Amino acid sequence: MSDPSAERRAPRAARAADREPLPVKVLRHGSSADAARAVAQEVVALVAERPTAVLGLATGGTMVEIYAACVERAASEGVSFDRVRTFNLDEYVGPVAPERTFRAYMEEHFFGPFGIEPGPHAFPDAARAATDALGAARAYEDAIGRAGGIDLQLLGIGRNGHVAFNEPPASASSRTRVVELDAVTRADAGAAFGGVERVPARAITVGLATILEARRVRLVAFGASKAPAVERALLGPVTGTLPASLLRGHADVSFVLDAGAASGLG
Ligand code: PGA
C-alpha cells in the first residue's frame, strides 16, 4: 500500500480568488494498483458498516481496476454487496449496440462479479431520454432522492476535465439532463466503438449539483494523460470550463491519483 504521508492538500495560494474553495484531499499512490486497493478498502468498509449503502458508480477504463479491487477485497473480507443500491452516472442516448452500453460494462465489471442484479433505477433511462429528456431526468433525480441520496460517489475525470458527462462549460447547479458529448470525449471513446463516428452524440448524465450532494466524492485518475486535467482541477481556478474544479466546493472530496496522474502537481 502507499505511504500515508503522500496525503496532501492543494496549496491555499492556488485557490480561486472569486470563491474560497474547501481543501481537497489529494491521495497520491505509486501505482494504480495501490490506488485501486485504497479506494476498494473505503468502499468495502462502507458496505460492511452499512449493507444498504447507496453507491454512485462510474464507468471507464479507470473504474475497471477499481471494481476488480472492490470484488477482491469484498471476497477477502467476507462483505456482501447483495443489498447495496447503486446509481450510475450516465448512459449514452441514441442507437447503441447493447454491448457498448454502460449497463453492459457494469454487468461485466460490477454486477456480474458481485453476483448481484442492478436495481430498477441503477441507470438513467436512456431509451426514455431519447423522446422525453425532461421526464427521464426528473425520474432519475427522484429515484436518487427516494434512496436517501448517494453515500459515496466514484468519479473518473476526462482529459477535458469532465466528470460524468458534464462537459465544459458546466454549471455547479446542473442536474440530470441530456447533453451533447464533447469532441475530446467522443475521440476517447472512439476505440471502444470502432471509430469516433460511431460514438453516440448524446448522453444522459447526472449534473454537478447531483454529484455535489453525495456525502463523499472520490475522484480517481490514472496515467499521465490525465495529469493536465488533474492539475487544472486542483490548482487552477474553480470554473465550469474545467468541470472537475467545481468539486472543490464539496466538504468531503478526495482525488485518488497514481504517479502519472499526479505528475503535474509538483
Ligand atoms: P477513463 O474515463 O476512466 O476511461 O479514463 C474517465 C472519464 O472520462 O470520466
Side-chain angles (χ1 to χ4, degrees):
M1 300 294 282
S2 75
D3 175 3
S5 68
E7 183 174 311
R8 296 186 186 185
R9 287 178 183 269
R12 285 188 77 82
R15 295 190 202 154
D18 57 334
R19 184 167 157 205
E20 182 67 6
L22 296 161
V24 175
K25 225 185 228 183
V26 180
L27 301 160
R28 298 168 71 147
H29 294 268
S31 70
S32 61
D34 281 347
R37 277 193 288 270
V39 174
Q41 186 176 354
E42 181 172 13
V43 172
V44 173
L46 169 65
V47 176
E49 189 190 305
R50 186 161 183 235
T52 58
V54 182
L55 304 178
L57 300 177
T59 51
T62 311
M63 291 298 142
V64 170
E65 227 173 317
I66 300 296
Y67 296 145
C70 286
V71 170
E72 190 181 319
R73 175 121 195 151
S76 73
E77 301 271 311
V79 174
S80 168
F81 273 50
D82 285 1
R83 294 170 67 208
V84 295
R85 289 162 301 162
T86 68
F87 290 92
N88 263 76
L89 289 168
D90 41 26
E91 185 57 279
Y92 292 113
V93 173
V96 181
E99 66 273 19
R100 300 271 171 263
T101 62
F102 289 152
R103 181 179 287 271
Y105 169 106
M106 293 303 294
E107 288 290 351
E108 181 180 352
H109 298 292
F110 190 91
F111 296 112
F114 275 119
I116 59 177
E117 292 290 328
H121 304 287
F123 300 87
D125 187 341
R128 179 175 177 186
T131 54
D132 176 17
L134 288 178
R138 175 156 312 174
Y140 204 54
E141 290 279 343
D142 287 350
I144 295 171
R146 280 198 306 278
I150 307 276
D151 290 315
L152 189 152
Q153 178 67 61
L154 292 174
L155 294 174
I157 181 172
R159 286 188 300 122
N160 62 358
H162 78 193
V163 287
F165 278 140
N166 292 283
E167 307 285 21
S171 160
S173 59
S174 55
R175 289 281 168 188
T176 301
R177 67 205 182 287
V178 171
V179 296
E180 300 286 327
L181 296 179
D182 188 85
V184 173
T185 300
R186 295 186 72 221
D188 284 351
F193 279 86
V196 68
E197 66 288 348
R198 298 198 182 144
V199 179
R202 296 192 305 155
I204 179 166
T205 181
V206 300
L208 262 310
T210 324
I211 290 169
L212 288 167
E213 280 172 3
R215 285 179 271 283
R216 297 185 222 176
V217 176
R218 303 292 179 255
L219 182 145
V220 188
F222 296 157
S225 69
K226 299 294 175 69
V230 166
E231 181 185 351
R232 289 176 65 200
L234 290 170
L235 304 179
V238 172
T239 167
T241 59
L242 202 293
S245 70
L246 298 173
L247 299 174
R248 283 154 61 195
H250 194 279
D252 185 357
V253 57
S254 306
F255 277 46
V256 186
L257 311 172
D258 72 356
S263 58
L265 301 179

